[in-house]
Amino acid sequence: MISSRAENIPSFLVMDILEAAQELERAGEDIVHLEIGEPDFGAPEYVVEAAARALREGKTRYTHCQGIIELREAICDHYFKNYNVAINPDRVFVNSGSSPAMFSVFGVLLDPGDEVILTNPHYACYPSIFSFLGGRPMYLNLRGEEGFRYRVEDVKGLLTPKTKAILINSPANPTGIVIKKEDLETLARGEHGFIISDEIYHGLVYEGQAHSILEFTDRAFVLNGFSKVYGMTGWRLGYTIVPQEFIRPMQKVQQNFFISANAFVQWAGVAALTGPQDHIGQHVTEYDKRRRFLIQRLREIGFGIGSEPTGAFYVLADAHRFGSDSHKLAFELLGRAKVGATPGIDFGSKAEGFLRFSYSNALDNIAEGMDRLERYLQG
Ligand SMILES: Cc1ncc(COP(=O)(O)O)c(C=O)c1O
């Protein structure tokens, strides 16, 4: 018998779309991929070289469960340089992506029935992971007509004796919003448990600035990784920064469930953080160009976009004009217009009737995708 835990976990719809798209491609179709949040810029050459060197040098054994000290120190330097926060490397845990890191964080924080406050819309996997561990989601509903701004004033109404954590993600997937500094300060002052701050899109901001939660409180877990900013999705490298008192429990979870992240990939991570960083600025300039183009074309085609997203590489566009069942619409657009987009429902009920478009694809491909959508939807 399959466990009810496994029965109840929803599929990650963007992966369903991606896999369906790949099947069409195997059958000879040409698909424009705007569904997946995967940078088209690969890792810089010096990162590839560092991984190859590490492999040649035999850096292929288990490492400390928290990761090699060189990488943990580089992560601490990164947080000091960017946010002026001093962190001891003992508080850093390296993992094979931030996704397994989420499992560890929720695992050390949550008992069955504990509540986690998170936005709706939200990154699809958060509630799947913590519900698997017995946690319960409490949704802070955001409004499309307000451009999905973070409604910090509504958090109080969701607090209960069972509240264990507030989970934030800024810049956010799927909305592209960046939480204001004052709102982070308000959250940090709050009388609730811990803040879990997913900072994986830091570095990809087009207006304003993203702040780390660690600038305002130490009662926080930070999730971050190399997938987005360094174009290292398939390398699987991420990390967590945890409060002091969680070091030992995190070690036990890491040791038992993961042992360690890939050794040679960790050396690539050291290179990524300590090597030249100018490629990031160049990518941001390019993403910004794509962002503005995509927003303009989506509006021309008839999608609704309230206030414009200013971070990450997504546009969550109102597609009600074309259908209110986003799952059906996304599969229809894939099959008929040969364009991959992610159904809003993947990100919660407040994104139903929306589609998420990723601009982590080249401008020419985005242009082609928009032309196909225009022909299909207006044809
Ligand atoms: C908000 C957010 N957090 C975490 C992840 C997972 O990243 P990783 O590749 O580090 O597991 C993603 C991937 O899309 C994401 O959008």
Side-chain angles (χ1 to χ4, degrees):
M1 271 294 263
I2 298 163
S3 72
S4 54
R5 212 188 259 137
E7 286 285 9
N8 290 334
I9 196 165
S11 73
F12 189 12
L13 292 180
V14 64
M15 299 309 284
D16 283 349
I17 290 271
L18 176 67
E19 287 156 21
Q22 287 169 339
E23 207 161 306
L24 288 171
E25 285 172 328
R26 275 196 297 276
E29 298 284 4
D30 174 60
I31 305 294
V32 177
H33 290 273
L34 302 178
E35 76 283 24
I36 191 87
E38 181 156 58
D40 57 325
F41 308 112
E45 190 47 40
Y46 61 87
V47 172
V48 176
E49 182 48 39
R53 196 178 330 116
L55 271 173
R56 278 196 299 271
E57 290 173 356
K59 289 175 171 158
T60 50
R61 294 169 175 263
Y62 295 137
T63 70
H64 188 292
C65 75
Q66 292 185 234
I68 57 173
I69 187 67
E70 290 83 350
L71 180 53
R72 287 187 279 138
E73 283 175 349
I75 289 165
C76 293
D77 286 350
H78 174 77
Y79 267 78
F80 188 70
K81 264 191 234 135
N82 285 283
Y83 310 106
N84 203 25
V85 294
I87 301 156
N88 186 315
D90 290 349
R91 288 174 54 199
V92 178
F93 285 76
V94 176
N95 229 322
S96 298
S98 65
S99 306
M102 286 175 205
F103 193 87
S104 301
V105 168
F106 295 134
V108 296
L109 254 183
L110 302 177
D111 282 315
D114 283 347
E115 293 170 358
V116 178
I117 298 174
L118 76 163
T119 59
N120 180 358
H122 51 79
Y123 173 54
C125 303
Y126 295 142
S128 305
I129 299 175
F130 67 69
S131 302
F132 193 82
L133 294 165
R136 290 192 54 220
M138 298 290 280
Y139 289 116
L140 177 73
N141 291 328
L142 309 184
R143 301 175 184 173
E145 63 274 20
E146 293 180 349
F148 296 108
R149 76 169 176 89
Y150 193 87
R151 295 182 62 83
V152 72
E153 66 277 22
D154 291 349
V155 170
K156 248 196 189 133
L158 294 170
L159 296 173
T160 79
K162 285 277 193 189
T163 306
K164 219 31 175 317
I166 297 182
L167 169 56
I168 55 174
N169 171 218
S170 167
N173 177 6
T175 59
I177 63 142
V178 179
I179 302 180
K180 288 190 297 205
K181 181 174 182 228
E182 308 84 84
D183 291 348
L184 291 176
E185 284 170 330
T186 305
L187 289 176
R189 277 196 305 270
E191 294 290 309
H192 47 72
F194 291 87
I195 297 178
I196 303 170
S197 175
D198 183 343
E199 302 185 352
I200 197 158
Y201 291 103
H202 275 225
L204 302 178
V205 178
Y206 315 102
E207 286 170 33
Q209 198 190 342
H211 288 270
S212 172
I213 196 65
L214 296 176
E215 295 172 49
F216 313 110
T217 179
D218 274 334
R219 284 179 64 76
F221 292 77
V222 163
L223 294 162
N224 206 333
F226 294 77
S227 291
K228 311 297 179 178
V229 173
Y230 292 99
M232 293 172 68
T233 44
W235 296 65
R236 310 308 300 129
L237 190 64
Y239 59 89
T240 321
I241 302 167
V242 307
Q244 192 73 27
E245 68 266 38
F246 282 89
I247 293 175
R248 189 60 187 147
M250 280 288 289
Q251 283 176 340
K252 291 188 287 180
V253 169
Q254 291 280 120
Q255 290 169 345
N256 278 283
F257 295 167
F258 307 115
I259 303 190
S260 75
N262 304 312
F264 62 96
V265 174
Q266 294 187 51
W267 286 102
V270 174
L273 286 177
T274 57
Q277 303 291 301
D278 27 319
H279 59 95
I280 298 175
Q282 290 157 15
H283 294 172
V284 167
T285 305
E286 178 61 28
Y287 283 136
D288 193 22
K289 223 189 281 169
R290 298 173 184 181
R291 174 182 74 107
R292 285 184 276 118
F293 175 78
L294 177 61
I295 289 171
Q296 185 197 324
R297 286 296 284 132
L298 285 169
R299 281 179 172 152
E300 283 167 7
I301 295 167
F303 289 94
I305 297 162
S307 57
E308 298 180 359
T310 56
F313 36 54
Y314 306 107
V315 177
L316 187 62
D318 191 335
H320 280 96
R321 213 177 124 185
F322 307 111
S324 50
D325 180 339
S326 62
H327 186 272
K328 188 165 160 248
L329 181 61
F331 276 93
E332 179 186 327
L333 295 180
L334 178 65
R336 308 285 284 276
K338 314 294 180 213
V339 175
T342 305
I345 193 65
D346 206 16
F347 309 103
S349 57
K350 293 291 166 189
E352 179 54 312
F354 287 72
L355 292 176
R356 188 197 71 175
F357 295 90
S358 166
Y359 49 93
S360 62
N361 201 341
L363 198 57
D364 285 352
N365 294 334
I366 296 173
E368 170 64 20
M370 291 302 106
D371 289 349
R372 290 185 190 185
L373 286 185
E374 190 165 50
R375 278 196 298 275
Y376 177 71
L377 291 168
Q378 296 178 353

